[in-house]
Amino acid sequence: MARKRKRSGEGINIPLDLTVEILHRLPAKYLARTRYVSKQWRTIIDDYIVKNSVVTRSLSQPSPDAPHFILDTLLDGGVVFSYTYSRQIRSERNQIVEKMFAMTATAREFQYVRGLIGFWSCTRGQFTLHNPTTRRSVPLPDTGIPPRRFYLFGYDPLRNQYKVACIARPTSEPEQSCKVFTLGDLGKEWRNIKCCIERHSPFGTAVCIGGTIYYTATAENQRNVIISFNVVSEMFSHVFQVPEKLNGSNEDMDVWVMENAEKQEWSKTTHMAVLQGIPSSMCRFGVTHPGGEIVIVPYFYYYLGSEGYYYNPNINSRRSFVIQSPRLGGTDLVRIWPVTDPVENIMSLM
């Protein structure tokens, strides 16, 4: 019997489950591009491929395309905001290569949460989100809160949602203003919430761990405290008193751990000679995931090409790295923000 030929122009009908399986195996950056092939492909990826699985895969199998550092570079035209990725070379040092993605004249503060970067200016400007995997950015609506605001960027693991909280600096008003924006909310509006704790002035860099954002602040009694914001319940709580004797020697590193929040009990571990030979300006730290290494970089603007360091407390070992840029020289000043859990994320910001 003669085999029936397929008419010219007909496509290949691939079963849906096989299509989803094939797409699951694509690297994140190609999967992100595939979403824009057609409306049908976008629907398949959004409905059948769990976006969170891409992040989970990156955590277990780190990708070289995930950002490792954020750079804030001072130039004549303003501030160049860029990120870097790591490239291994045959030496004891790692080479960190810059990949520029955006320019802005107001970015001064940055937070990185599960593959997304949030940046803003303390004095003016909106909070902007950027996805390094999809190379897309979106500014959030204006909060209506006066300038000198502070943003908190976090992730709700129960609802698989990203949220941004905006806190007003203390004023003469009896209660401190605070609003929350949920990424993906159809209303695309900021919601008022109760601050419900003592008035405070946030500072430094916040960190989101397990659905809770922790940040430092100055209380009304001028003491430094650590405050937490639960991304799930949208409640502020746990005002921790920072240990008074935080200053160590020029060569040793003290790691403080809160053992009991109610009793304000802290324990301290000292790692001897970790900072030996490192300039005193190197005072911005981060802890990598899942390796647990401590990243040591300059806190203020520093010359590009200067060394940064990774310290592994488990084996008491320190290694150095250097950041290189195809567009900057050794006399250009940069501020470095370590990304402690570099992952890829194909989430759409719109």
Side-chain angles (χ1 to χ4, degrees):
M1 180 183 293
R3 183 174 299 173
K4 186 176 181 180
R5 292 180 175 271
K6 199 171 190 178
R7 289 181 299 175
S8 177
E10 288 186 354
I12 301 176
N13 185 18
I14 302 177
L16 178 60
D17 57 346
L18 181 57
T19 301
V20 173
E21 180 64 26
I22 294 173
L23 292 174
H24 258 302
R25 297 175 182 272
L26 286 178
K29 62 181 180 181
Y30 296 120
L31 192 59
R33 297 173 189 172
T34 304
R35 295 176 73 248
Y36 298 97
V37 170
S38 67
K39 184 177 180 179
Q40 181 184 15
W41 282 51
R42 184 186 184 98
T43 301
I44 292 175
I45 293 174
D46 289 349
D47 292 349
Y48 293 95
I49 297 182
V50 181
K51 295 169 185 167
N52 194 44
S53 68
V54 177
V55 177
T56 304
R57 183 176 63 184
S58 294
L59 286 171
S60 60
Q61 302 174 357
S63 169
D65 294 319
H68 283 63
F69 294 92
I70 299 170
L71 301 184
D72 174 5
T73 310
L74 284 177
L75 294 177
D76 293 337
V79 176
V80 174
F81 177 22
S82 59
Y83 57 83
T84 66
Y85 63 94
S86 180
R87 185 176 70 190
Q88 299 288 338
I89 57 176
R90 294 182 179 179
S91 71
E92 296 182 354
R93 299 200 309 179
N94 284 337
Q95 184 179 16
I96 311 295
V97 182
E98 181 204 36
K99 184 189 299 179
M100 186 173 67
F101 75 86
M103 294 186 66
T104 175
T106 60
R108 281 294 188 273
E109 303 294 333
F110 307 91
Q111 289 182 29
Y112 179 94
V113 178
R114 290 175 63 86
L116 302 181
I117 301 173
F119 58 97
W120 77 96
S121 168
C122 290
T123 56
R124 57 192 177 93
Q126 298 168 294
F127 187 92
T128 300
L129 284 171
H130 175 79
N131 188 329
T133 304
T134 62
R135 301 293 189 90
R136 293 179 178 270
S137 301
V138 59
L140 299 189
D142 185 68
T143 63
I145 293 179
R148 302 300 302 173
R149 64 197 73 164
F150 188 85
Y151 289 96
L152 302 171
F153 181 32
Y155 174 73
D156 176 353
L158 295 182
R159 300 181 180 89
N160 192 25
Q161 292 178 329
Y162 291 81
K163 296 181 181 180
V164 182
C166 182
I167 308 173
R169 301 287 179 175
T171 62
S172 58
E173 297 295 327
E175 186 173 342
Q176 201 164 356
S177 298
C178 185
K179 295 185 177 182
V180 170
F181 185 94
T182 301
L183 193 61
D185 187 0
L186 296 179
K188 297 184 179 180
E189 295 180 349
W190 291 88
R191 296 177 285 104
N192 289 304
I193 64 170
K194 294 286 186 179
C195 198
C196 297
I197 58 172
E198 64 180 281
R199 291 151 58 93
H200 59 281
S201 297
F203 68 89
T205 303
V207 59
C208 184
I209 304 174
T212 301
I213 303 174
Y214 300 90
Y215 63 98
T216 52
T218 302
E220 288 190 301
N221 60 6
Q222 299 305 309
R223 287 203 60 181
N224 289 339
V225 294
I226 299 175
I227 297 178
S228 69
F229 175 74
N230 190 301
V231 184
V232 180
S233 64
E234 301 180 358
M235 295 287 294
F236 291 88
S237 59
H238 301 313
V239 180
F240 306 133
Q241 297 290 340
V242 177
E244 295 182 359
K245 299 180 180 180
L246 282 178
N247 296 327
S249 69
N250 293 331
E251 294 186 352
D252 303 335
M253 177 189 296
D254 294 334
V255 177
W256 291 82
V257 178
M258 175 165 280
E259 303 290 352
N260 189 308
E262 294 183 359
K263 297 181 179 181
Q264 299 285 319
E265 293 179 350
W266 294 80
S267 66
K268 183 182 74 169
T269 302
T270 299
H271 299 274
M272 307 296 292
V274 173
L275 305 178
Q276 186 175 24
I278 297 180
S280 58
S281 60
M282 307 287 272
C283 56
R284 187 188 296 276
F285 300 94
V287 180
T288 64
H289 176 85
E293 290 184 301
I294 298 174
V295 189
I296 308 171
V297 296
Y299 186 82
F300 300 104
Y301 287 96
Y302 215 70
Y303 291 115
L304 182 72
S306 301
E307 289 187 328
Y309 301 89
Y310 287 102
Y311 172 69
N312 189 328
N314 297 321
I315 59 176
N316 191 30
S317 174
R318 191 183 78 188
R319 58 192 176 94
S320 63
F321 65 86
V322 62
I323 292 179
Q324 294 187 350
S325 169
R327 63 182 179 85
L328 299 174
T331 59
D332 290 303
L333 295 175
V334 299
R335 189 168 50 157
I336 304 172
W337 305 74
V339 172
T340 55
D341 56 344
V343 297
E344 294 178 295
N345 192 332
I346 65 168
M347 178 179 181
S348 173
L349 301 179
M350 304 302 293

